[in-house]
Amino acid sequence: MNEFILATANPGKVAEMQKILGDLSISFVTRDDFGITIDVEETGTTFLENATLKAKAICKASGLPAIADDSGLIVDALSGEPGLYSSSYGGEQLTNEERYNFLLKKMKNMEHRAAKFVCTIVCAFPSGELLTATGECLGTILEKPRGSGGFGYDPVFLPDGFEKSMAELTADEKNKISHRAVALFNFAELLKSHTTLKGTLQ
Ligand code: ITT
């Protein structure tokens, strides 16, 4: 079976991608398995550009097709913040908890709390070919954090149609509805019809 490498260094993303891709019968190794420690600078101005930078760099370093994820939280009332800067919002050094509390403080007394998580997946192949897929998960920002699962902003995000925050859902529940799950599912569909891989995936 064709082997891929996950281009992310974020342990929360690694855990979710391992589970979702495993369920989709896609075989992969992680950056840790390969001892890849390079830090790819995210200088792009879109999720697509940043995912492409990460996928290409890790493909080059490993010689394997590399699957990168660039994702973030988009809050309507904050004109799309934290968006592309979700991982460093409020300061590079903040913990996840400090970061979502920074967001909650900014949104204090705001009534309009619609938001969405977005994810762009780019797979870079050694041939230079790229496959891209996207996913979103709509919801609202809670007034107070709830739950301890997931990572990042999960405790303050209430997915539409659910009464539990993203951090109160089980890992399996999150991995069915998240922006990352949708993007990876769309990616798997593309792979199935990819000429060189046709027939190797279920
Ligand atoms: P890599 O670049 O190594 O993949 P990163 O964390 O720096 O890891 P991004 O630049 O794509 O990745 O930043 C995405 C940020 O968006 C992430 O650090 C979280 O703060 C937030 N985020 C993305 N997906 C999330 C999810 O499923 N739950 C909660 N927060 C999420």
Side-chain angles (χ1 to χ4, degrees):
M1 195 193 267
N2 294 281
E3 194 165 65
F4 294 81
I5 183 166
L6 305 187
T8 181
N10 177 324
K13 285 189 189 177
V14 171
E16 292 180 8
M17 292 172 83
Q18 282 178 320
K19 179 74 180 70
I20 299 164
L21 292 172
D23 287 351
L24 295 171
S25 304
I26 294 171
S27 157
F28 52 82
V29 292
T30 63
R31 281 172 53 135
D32 280 352
D33 295 334
F34 245 69
I36 293 179
T37 53
I38 55 171
D39 189 21
V40 185
E41 254 199 281
E42 297 187 28
T43 51
T45 55
T46 61
F47 292 103
L48 179 61
E49 280 177 19
N50 281 339
T52 305
L53 285 172
K54 292 187 270 192
K56 281 185 171 172
I58 303 304
C59 175
K60 195 171 170 201
S62 65
L64 290 176
I67 303 173
D69 163 314
D70 203 60
S71 45
L73 178 68
I74 295 184
V75 179
D76 273 16
L78 297 176
S79 311
E81 280 185 17
L84 215 53
Y85 307 101
S86 295
S87 65
S88 56
Y89 197 50
E92 294 274 357
Q93 73 295 345
L94 298 191
T95 62
N96 279 335
E97 189 178 350
E98 288 167 337
R99 205 177 305 289
Y100 65 64
N101 280 326
F102 175 80
L103 173 71
L104 290 185
K105 212 169 158 192
K106 273 210 155 188
M107 294 190 67
K108 202 164 185 245
N109 301 325
M110 283 188 178
E111 269 181 29
H112 180 65
R113 305 184 75 86
K116 64 180 175 183
F117 273 125
V118 297
C119 175
T120 296
I121 295 291
V122 172
C123 180
F125 291 85
S127 63
E129 192 176 353
L130 299 174
L131 286 185
T132 68
T134 60
E136 347 183 292
C137 180
L138 304 182
T140 49
I141 302 299
L142 291 162
E143 310 237 336
K144 287 185 187 151
R146 281 165 35 183
S148 57
F151 69 99
Y153 299 90
D154 283 343
V156 297
F157 186 84
L158 184 70
D160 281 356
F162 287 79
E163 288 182 1
K164 291 178 182 174
S165 78
M166 201 73 126
E168 290 175 316
L169 295 179
T170 65
D172 279 351
E173 285 171 331
K174 178 179 175 188
N175 288 336
K176 283 198 182 80
I177 61 144
S178 78
H179 47 310
R180 182 161 299 103
V182 174
L184 287 173
F185 181 78
N186 290 336
F187 167 64
E189 289 300 302
L190 285 180
L191 267 187
K192 282 184 199 162
S193 52
H194 187 281
T195 44
T196 56
L197 302 173
K198 221 169 194 163
T200 63
L201 297 166
Q202 285 160 10

